[in-house]
Amino acid sequence: MRAGSLALRLFVSATVVSVAVLTITGFALHQVYRAAVERAFDQRLDVYLKTIVADVANSASGSMPEPTTLGDPLFNFPISGWYWQITRTDGAAAQVKTSRSLPEGKLPLLVARSETSDVSGLREGYADGPSGQKLRIVERVVDLGEDGRYAVAVAADAGEIEEEVAGFDQALAMTLAVLGGAFLLTLVFQVLFGLRPLKRMLAALHDVRTGRADRIEGAYPIEIAPLAAEVNALIDTNREIVERARTHVGNLAHALKTPISVLQNEAARPGVAETDAALAAKVTEQAQIMKEQVAHHLERARMAARASVVTTVEEVEPIVTRLAATLAKVHRGKGVAVEAEVAGNVRFRGERQDLEEILGNLVDNGCKWARSLVEVAVSPVPGAAGERDYFEIVIDDDGPGLTPDQQTEALKRGKRLDESQPGSGLGLSIVTELVGLYGGRLTLDRSPFGGLRCVVRLPAA
């Protein structure tokens, strides 16, 4: 899952929602369990409270009630955490009787703290007790009419509640952690499995781009099947547009060839040439320029059509080796050697004849100007993550070379720096346009041998 990917977005968003849901669930279960523990604890205290209330109701008139035995020795041990208290609240001064476990001080009255009670008059709450204990208190007010009004309370150390809730929280946290981990693993599998068709589509598009397939093939889920169909339709439409444009340009070029040839033939007729030699020469010159331009643009249209719908992949090594051997034979009379070194497994994503035209123009140009050596080196250039790969062709010669200004001028269409060598001056410009059509780049520099260095970067398969 890379940064910015759809898989990472789905994973992060689902993780955030899952953590929020598990947190809320854990908090809700904690509250429910704590309430259940408190209810169970209050029921224990209520048993003692009812016993004391019965003793208060049966006590002699005019005296403070004295509870009978409660059956739990903890009420007799000092600071045991279990206490009872009877408080008469209708006298001028409150009279208090407490258990032996509460040797000094007294319990706070919940009725005095305005704690709410249920329909039976029972109140529950927390309060601070002796020795810093936190107590859980249940209290009920007993009104005996003329015999007095009493607040009866039973309290116990709330640490039992906290310990039981803490144990539950620990088990709950472990359970939710395991559940969350299992859920995340399931989520990862679900995201990767759910996005697998997109990966298949990406691989299919890569095959189309690299020339291994003409269309996106295979069955896809109904959510992305229309996308595959639209991409295939776009590919077909692009091919049709390029083919129509190529046909129109070709028709135009061929239509112009005949009138240009007529102009040349008319200008070269003996009668016209003798009558106005200057005009005949000018017409011949301009007609030749027109013929070269038509040929150039016709070739450019052909190259554009091939580069736009590339479906082939060519091995580079045999093309370079064969071309180097051929040009070495052609220029053997000058004593120029052509050496080639190609890294293994370099493949060109394009048409074979386009690569041959690029290499042929550059290597032939190097042979024309070299004194004794032209060197061709091919090496791969891996692209960054998510980007296409390239390979570089470096052509060095030991000729006179070009200055930086001359290098810039040499790449201009039809620009010739020296008329001593044959040619129309369109070679480098054609190479530049053809390389550009493939998304590559042509640069000129000074060769280590003292001549010209041509560096061509082209897409690799």
Side-chain angles (χ1 to χ4, degrees):
M1 297 185 187
R2 298 178 180 177
S5 66
L6 183 59
L8 183 61
R9 283 186 172 188
L10 292 174
F11 179 77
V12 170
S13 59
T15 299
V16 171
V17 172
S18 301
V19 170
V21 170
L22 290 177
T23 301
I24 294 173
T25 302
F27 179 75
L29 291 176
H30 164 82
Q31 294 297 110
V32 171
Y33 186 77
R34 184 180 186 88
V37 172
E38 288 180 346
R39 283 196 302 270
F41 198 75
D42 291 346
Q43 288 174 359
R44 292 172 57 191
L45 296 179
D46 191 49
V47 172
Y48 297 117
L49 180 65
K50 289 178 180 178
T51 302
I52 298 174
V53 168
D55 291 338
V56 169
N58 296 324
S59 64
S61 177
S63 63
M64 283 293 292
E66 181 68 35
T68 59
T69 177
L70 298 177
D72 195 333
L74 290 175
F75 289 105
N76 296 321
F77 296 152
I79 317 299
S80 64
W82 287 77
Y83 314 104
W84 59 260
Q85 177 177 282
I86 304 173
T87 306
R88 184 166 184 172
T89 61
D90 60 346
Q95 301 178 36
V96 179
K97 182 178 285 292
T98 62
S99 62
R100 293 179 182 178
S101 58
L102 192 61
E104 59 182 20
K106 59 182 180 178
L107 300 176
L109 295 177
L110 298 181
V111 66
R113 290 166 42 180
S114 301
E115 295 284 350
T116 58
S117 64
D118 60 14
V119 293
S120 65
L122 185 68
R123 293 178 174 85
E124 304 102 355
Y126 290 94
D128 294 331
S131 301
Q133 292 174 325
K134 183 180 181 182
L135 302 178
R136 177 68 175 176
I137 302 175
V138 294
E139 178 185 279
R140 179 172 291 158
V141 175
V142 181
D143 192 350
L144 301 179
E146 295 180 355
D147 291 336
R149 189 170 182 270
Y150 299 91
V152 181
V154 178
D157 190 354
E160 293 185 22
I161 297 176
E162 302 300 332
E163 289 178 2
E164 189 166 352
V165 172
F168 174 78
D169 287 345
Q170 184 177 3
L172 178 63
M174 293 178 62
T175 302
L176 291 180
V178 173
L179 180 62
F183 185 76
L184 288 180
L185 290 177
T186 304
L187 181 62
V188 170
F189 171 78
Q190 183 178 1
V191 169
L192 296 180
F193 179 76
L195 295 180
R196 185 174 296 176
L198 290 179
K199 287 190 174 182
R200 287 198 295 114
M201 180 174 286
L202 178 62
L205 285 172
H206 179 73
D207 289 342
V208 172
R209 184 176 65 85
T210 55
R212 288 191 286 267
D214 295 333
R215 297 168 57 82
I216 297 178
E217 303 293 346
Y220 292 93
I222 58 175
E223 290 81 4
I224 62 174
L227 176 61
E230 290 297 324
V231 171
N232 282 333
L234 181 63
I235 293 173
D236 293 339
T237 302
N238 181 65
R239 286 199 179 104
E240 292 175 3
I241 292 173
V242 171
E243 186 61 31
R244 283 200 300 268
R246 178 185 176 186
T247 301
H248 292 331
V249 172
N251 292 339
L252 177 61
H254 288 297
L256 289 175
K257 280 185 178 180
T258 300
I260 292 173
S261 298
V262 171
L263 289 176
Q264 287 182 313
N265 293 335
E266 287 297 321
R269 279 196 311 165
V272 175
E274 293 171 359
T275 304
D276 195 340
L279 176 60
K282 179 58 70 175
V283 170
T284 301
E285 176 190 352
Q286 296 302 313
Q288 181 61 32
I289 293 175
M290 291 168 63
K291 191 173 184 179
E292 291 176 356
Q293 293 297 319
V294 167
H296 167 70
H297 288 289
L298 181 60
E299 178 65 16
R300 189 175 186 275
R302 180 186 61 81
M303 294 185 303
R306 288 205 310 265
S308 299
V309 292
V310 171
T311 57
T312 60
V313 174
E314 297 290 342
E315 295 289 339
V316 175
E317 183 175 11
I319 297 175
V320 173
T321 302
R322 185 180 62 81
L323 186 63
T326 300
L327 290 177
K329 292 179 181 178
V330 172
H331 296 278
R332 183 181 301 169
K334 287 183 56 179
V336 176
V338 181
E339 299 179 357
E341 181 179 354
V342 183
N345 200 30
V346 177
R347 299 188 302 167
F348 172 53
R349 188 181 63 83
E351 296 286 344
R352 180 186 187 91
Q353 63 193 87
D354 291 338
L355 181 59
E356 290 176 343
E357 185 162 3
I358 292 170
L359 283 170
N361 274 286
L362 295 178
V363 177
D364 183 61
N365 184 73
C367 291
K368 288 178 181 178
W369 296 101
R371 295 185 178 90
S372 61
L373 176 65
V374 174
E375 186 177 90
V376 182
V378 182
S379 59
V381 181
E387 297 181 359
R388 65 169 58 177
D389 294 334
Y390 290 87
F391 69 94
E392 280 189 349
I393 305 173
V394 180
I395 302 170
D396 291 309
D397 64 67
D398 59 353
L402 299 175
T403 65
D405 291 338
Q406 289 175 327
Q407 293 169 10
T408 303
E409 290 294 318
L411 295 178
K412 293 182 179 179
R413 184 173 62 84
K415 183 68 176 179
R416 299 190 62 191
L417 301 179
D418 195 315
E419 302 293 336
S420 62
Q421 296 291 344
S424 63
L426 295 173
L428 280 179
S429 65
I430 290 177
V431 171
T432 303
E433 291 180 357
L434 184 54
V435 170
L437 289 173
Y438 279 103
R441 187 178 66 228
L442 169 65
T443 57
L444 303 180
D445 203 350
R446 172 67 66 175
S447 169
F449 305 140
L452 181 66
R453 162 170 283 189
C454 300
V455 181
V456 181
R457 176 170 291 195
L458 291 170

